[in-house]
Amino acid sequence: METGAERNVLAFVDSDYADTPYDKWACDAGVRPHLLVSAGKFPQYRHIPGAIPVAGYPHGGEAERTALDLAERMPPCAVLARMEGDLLRAARLRELLGVPGQDFASALAFRDKVHMKTLARQSGVDVPEFAPVRVAFDLFGFVREHGYPVVVKPAFGSGSTGTHVLRGPADLARLLAEGLPEHAEVERFVEGAMYVVDGLVVEGAPVATFVSRYLNDCLSFRDGTYLGSAQLTRAHPMTYRLIDYARKVLDALPTPECTTFHLEVFHTPEDRLVLCEIGSRTGGALTAPAIRAATGFDLDEQWFRAQVTPGGVTDTGVQGVAPGQSAGWVVFYPERGTLAALPEDPPPFVAEERLRGTVGTAYQGGEKSGRYVAGYVLTGVDDQEVERRAEELARWYAAGVRWAGNDGGDDRSDDPDDSPN
């Protein structure tokens, strides 16, 4: 590994600069960042000398070709990827270069939901009945055996894109008319609340772990409902149970020496914990900012430090949020129409505001759970207060956002009485 100022870090970047200020982190760690940035995110990174815009970022091989060229000229001490869609390419590049970090087999176990649930079940983790769907007969057979409702999703998907809940033959017929997702998975629908465990693994063990619960669900972007999350404090009866569960899931998979993780788990009415899925990356939306607002712990910065500087993690042993110091986040999705105005002056409990929507831009409704027009980090004493404030925030947002119809009609405000509550 290089020393001093010659130590290079190569990163695939498709995140907002506010989430991954690699130049600031690299300066503190004494490394040089070389960033391969998607064209859509590049304007946020153009001030960094080592940032390179990549056209056709998700596909086409340009990111891979550029990465190999850079690595030949400036061998990296670490290859980084924060976003779900970059994990496999980064893992393969590490193997090609002989750079330490998550290998391809590990990344695949966290990306392929069929493989993931197979490994988890073999280790005694409770998972829903599931099966791969390669042709329509696979889906027919699963429904015949297990009945409705079922969930069909891409095995390599993220952000709930391509996820369908089938509650009867009519839903099945609509899905088949649209076409099955590529490399799909089907599983039995699980009733219950959705909890989330996020954390940081260093030297193969979790050193920081945080528990939250969703407000609404990850398919909210389809019906115009907001999606939110609220951190559980250490006083909540589910917190340590879910932290222990997360360790069990991590032990069941080929977890890398260093990674963030994002675990989603159902808590059923029968008091079972059932795996939804787990990713070897930071949770989406405003997960990391909410954790930072509640605890001061910067999940992504500590992940960066752990990968580029051995012993560089400065905060360890953080388990959950202290009582009285909860936080959460809420995101609002686009409607079909032109964004005419976003609300101003959020309530005082909002700790951070992220406005992604552009006034004057036409949108076609929600596309995936991570693509929102406005997001907010909010604080409260516990998850219950955060939830109440999320409902208040939704009413404030509905009163201030305005959309112009595609037919050229008058601008309109969402009726506060129709906002989620």
Side-chain angles (χ1 to χ4, degrees):
M1 183 181 295
E2 299 86 354
T3 60
E6 294 182 350
R7 295 173 64 229
N8 300 300
V9 172
L10 191 156
F12 295 95
V13 184
D14 193 26
S15 51
D16 286 341
Y17 178 78
D19 291 319
T20 47
Y22 283 116
D23 56 333
K24 295 179 181 178
W25 296 344
C27 181
D28 292 341
V31 297
R32 293 177 56 194
H34 301 277
L35 312 180
L36 306 178
V37 189
S38 66
K41 300 295 184 182
F42 181 74
Q44 302 179 42
Y45 293 85
R46 65 169 67 251
H47 66 283
I48 302 176
I52 301 172
V54 179
Y57 182 87
H59 310 289
E62 186 61 28
E64 287 81 356
R65 284 192 292 268
T66 306
L68 287 172
D69 178 62
L70 276 173
E72 183 176 347
R73 293 185 288 111
M74 291 167 286
C77 65
V79 174
L80 307 182
R82 181 183 180 274
M83 304 300 288
E84 186 85 9
D86 291 327
L87 298 181
L88 291 175
R89 62 173 24 153
R92 184 66 84 202
L93 181 60
R94 292 187 195 102
E95 293 181 339
L96 291 173
L97 301 178
V99 172
Q102 184 178 38
D103 61 21
F104 193 85
S106 171
L108 188 64
F110 283 87
R111 282 287 281 134
D112 183 345
K113 295 175 179 61
V114 173
H115 186 30
M116 172 198 305
K117 291 186 175 70
T118 300
L119 293 174
R121 184 165 58 186
Q122 289 172 352
S123 294
V125 175
D126 196 354
V127 302
E129 290 296 328
F130 69 96
V133 176
R134 299 295 178 257
V135 295
F137 288 119
D138 298 330
L139 183 52
F140 294 152
F142 189 90
V143 170
R144 178 175 294 178
E145 180 177 359
H146 298 287
Y148 294 104
V150 300
V151 180
V152 178
K153 62 179 74 171
F156 290 80
S158 64
S160 299
T161 303
T163 297
H164 300 267
V165 178
L166 310 184
R167 300 187 180 277
D171 291 335
L172 175 60
R174 276 192 294 270
L175 174 60
L176 294 177
E178 295 174 9
L180 288 170
E182 188 175 5
H183 300 296
E185 179 225 20
V186 60
E187 59 187 54
R188 292 192 68 176
F189 183 87
V190 179
E191 293 284 355
M194 174 76 81
Y195 287 92
V196 178
V197 186
D198 293 283
L200 173 66
V201 170
V202 178
E203 296 182 355
V207 298
T209 317
F210 308 92
V211 179
S212 59
R213 62 182 176 88
Y214 279 132
L215 311 178
N216 296 324
D217 64 58
C218 291
L219 296 179
S220 299
F221 67 92
R222 290 187 176 166
D223 58 16
T225 307
Y226 69 85
L227 175 62
S229 174
Q231 289 285 323
L232 274 56
T233 72
R234 292 192 287 271
H236 194 286
M238 291 294 294
T239 297
Y240 286 106
R241 181 181 175 189
L242 286 160
I243 289 174
D244 290 341
Y245 179 85
R247 292 193 181 102
K248 184 177 181 181
V249 176
L250 290 168
D251 288 343
L253 300 178
T255 301
E257 284 291 294
C258 178
T259 185
T260 53
F261 67 90
H262 179 71
L263 166 67
E264 298 178 340
V265 53
F266 299 105
H267 182 219
T268 73
E270 300 79 30
D271 198 34
R272 294 163 52 212
L273 295 180
V274 180
L275 175 66
C276 177
E277 59 188 64
I278 183 172
S280 55
R281 45 83 179 175
T282 302
L286 297 172
T287 296
I291 291 172
R292 187 168 60 244
T295 67
F297 186 90
D298 193 319
L299 185 59
D300 284 318
E301 182 177 4
Q302 296 299 330
W303 159 79
F304 177 87
R305 288 179 174 276
Q307 293 194 86
V308 306
T309 306
V313 177
T314 57
D315 296 319
T316 60
V318 184
Q319 304 297 327
V321 171
Q325 298 181 17
S326 184
W329 53 263
V330 173
V331 294
F332 298 95
Y333 297 106
E335 298 188 18
R336 287 185 177 272
T338 299
L339 181 61
L342 284 166
E344 299 179 350
D345 301 322
F349 53 74
V350 170
E352 184 174 343
E353 179 183 58
R354 297 273 187 98
L355 301 180
R356 284 182 169 180
T358 302
V359 172
T361 299
Y363 294 89
Q364 298 302 314
E367 297 177 356
K368 63 183 298 185
S369 62
R371 293 180 183 169
Y372 55 87
V373 294
Y376 304 88
V377 175
L378 48 159
T379 58
V381 297
D382 57 20
D383 62 300
Q384 296 294 328
E385 183 171 59
V386 170
E387 182 171 21
R388 289 192 296 270
R389 288 179 168 180
E391 294 167 354
E392 179 182 340
L393 184 75
R395 291 190 290 270
W396 165 83
Y397 180 84
V401 69
R402 290 191 295 122
W403 294 89
N406 284 330
D407 59 359
D410 294 337
D411 292 353
R412 65 175 181 80
S413 277
D414 288 351
D415 186 345
D417 293 336
D418 292 334
S419 63
N421 52 56

